[in-house]
Amino acid sequence: ELQVMAEVCLDIRHNLLSHAEIKHVQRVFSHPQALAQSRGWLQANCPGAQIISESSTARAAELASLAKPEEGVAAVASLLACELYNVAVRATGIQDLHMNMTRFVIFSQKTEQGMPTTPSGDDKTMLVLCMADRVGALHDVLQAFQQRSVNLARIESRPSRSKIWEYIFFVDMHGHALDANVIEVLADLKAMCSSVKVLGSFPFVRQPAQVKQSPQVSI
């Protein structure tokens, strides 16, 4: 059985890659997420360009590298893609939000002792729960955290796929699954929810303050 043992948060910076100058860009390829995150910059700097979704930013960079300058093909991709596909960087840091990050989690086999990590004093625990379909169910769940003085870092719902209009909740909370107050709140949740599963506990990653960086354009 796998358990989450750590998380890694990476800055996501998008760049415009093309053999053509920005003013001559006619088509921009990229993954839908990258295009959405750079929509404002593209509308301001490539207003007449056709925006086309691709399977990945790497594939978009490959298309830009294969095109001739006069074709006006560009890609929203990483600087690594620029190096791999040998295509010019026309602008860097074109994402609309400077606080653009993606979180990744690291899994490990669950040990015989249970948790693959021990409490550090500043931890986060991830769990998934499914509650009964009744009035006040979510209120009762949230109250359990408040009564045990456990702070929530995230709560997110997703369709359960097993029953229409039934949802499961992914929760990040402060504390380790072996901490006394977390053990108590987990017991409370198991008494009121149809399903509670701890995905893992790991040291809390504190993100440094983000410094806004303006896009750098190379005409």
Side-chain angles (χ1 to χ4, degrees):
E1 184 179 357
L2 295 177
Q3 291 267 292
V4 179
M5 62 172 295
E7 66 177 353
V8 177
C9 296
L10 299 180
D11 286 315
I12 303 299
R13 288 177 57 81
H14 296 308
N15 312 279
L16 189 74
L17 315 182
S18 180
H19 292 314
E21 296 180 2
I22 293 177
K23 61 184 178 181
H24 296 311
V25 169
Q26 302 172 38
R27 290 179 293 164
V28 180
F29 292 87
S30 196
H31 186 275
Q33 192 71 24
L35 292 173
Q37 293 174 350
S38 308
R39 182 182 294 113
W41 190 95
L42 292 172
Q43 289 176 344
N45 294 274
C46 305
Q50 183 182 7
I51 307 300
I52 305 171
S53 297
E54 257 301 335
S55 57
S56 67
T57 56
R59 173 57 180 163
E62 182 181 18
L63 292 174
S65 72
L66 296 173
K68 298 177 181 178
E70 58 268 25
E71 294 181 271
V73 175
V76 176
S78 67
L79 293 179
L80 177 59
C82 151
E83 298 175 7
L84 292 175
Y85 294 102
N86 192 28
V87 57
V89 180
R90 295 300 177 180
T92 60
I94 68 172
Q95 66 277 357
D96 296 330
L97 298 177
H98 69 281
M99 294 179 63
N100 191 22
M101 306 189 75
T102 297
R103 182 176 74 156
F104 300 88
V105 294
I106 300 173
F107 290 91
S108 172
Q109 289 287 347
K110 189 174 182 179
T111 65
E112 294 181 0
Q113 292 74 28
M115 285 288 160
T117 63
T118 56
S120 69
D122 187 19
D123 301 291
K124 180 189 292 185
T125 294
M126 294 177 61
L127 63 143
V128 59
L129 55 89
C130 183
M131 61 191 71
D133 182 12
R134 61 175 178 81
V135 175
L138 181 58
H139 170 272
D140 292 344
V141 165
L142 295 177
Q143 190 174 52
F145 290 98
Q146 187 272 331
Q147 291 176 340
R148 301 298 184 182
S149 299
V150 175
N151 189 36
L152 291 182
R154 180 182 72 111
I155 180 168
E156 187 174 341
S157 64
R158 287 287 185 271
S160 68
R161 295 187 178 183
S162 60
K163 182 180 178 182
I164 191 169
W165 308 124
E166 180 180 72
Y167 292 85
I168 58 175
F169 291 83
F170 289 88
V171 175
D172 288 3
M173 61 180 172
H174 291 233
H176 195 282
L178 299 179
D179 292 342
N181 62 337
V182 174
I183 291 174
E184 292 173 346
V185 78
L186 288 174
D188 294 340
L189 294 175
K190 289 176 181 178
M192 67 179 72
C193 295
S194 57
S195 173
V196 177
K197 180 177 178 61
V198 176
L199 301 179
S201 294
F202 45 87
F204 205 113
V205 177
R206 303 289 177 178
Q207 300 302 324
Q210 297 289 311
V211 178
K212 185 175 182 179
Q213 298 179 347
S214 299
Q216 301 296 312
V217 177
S218 174
I219 303 299

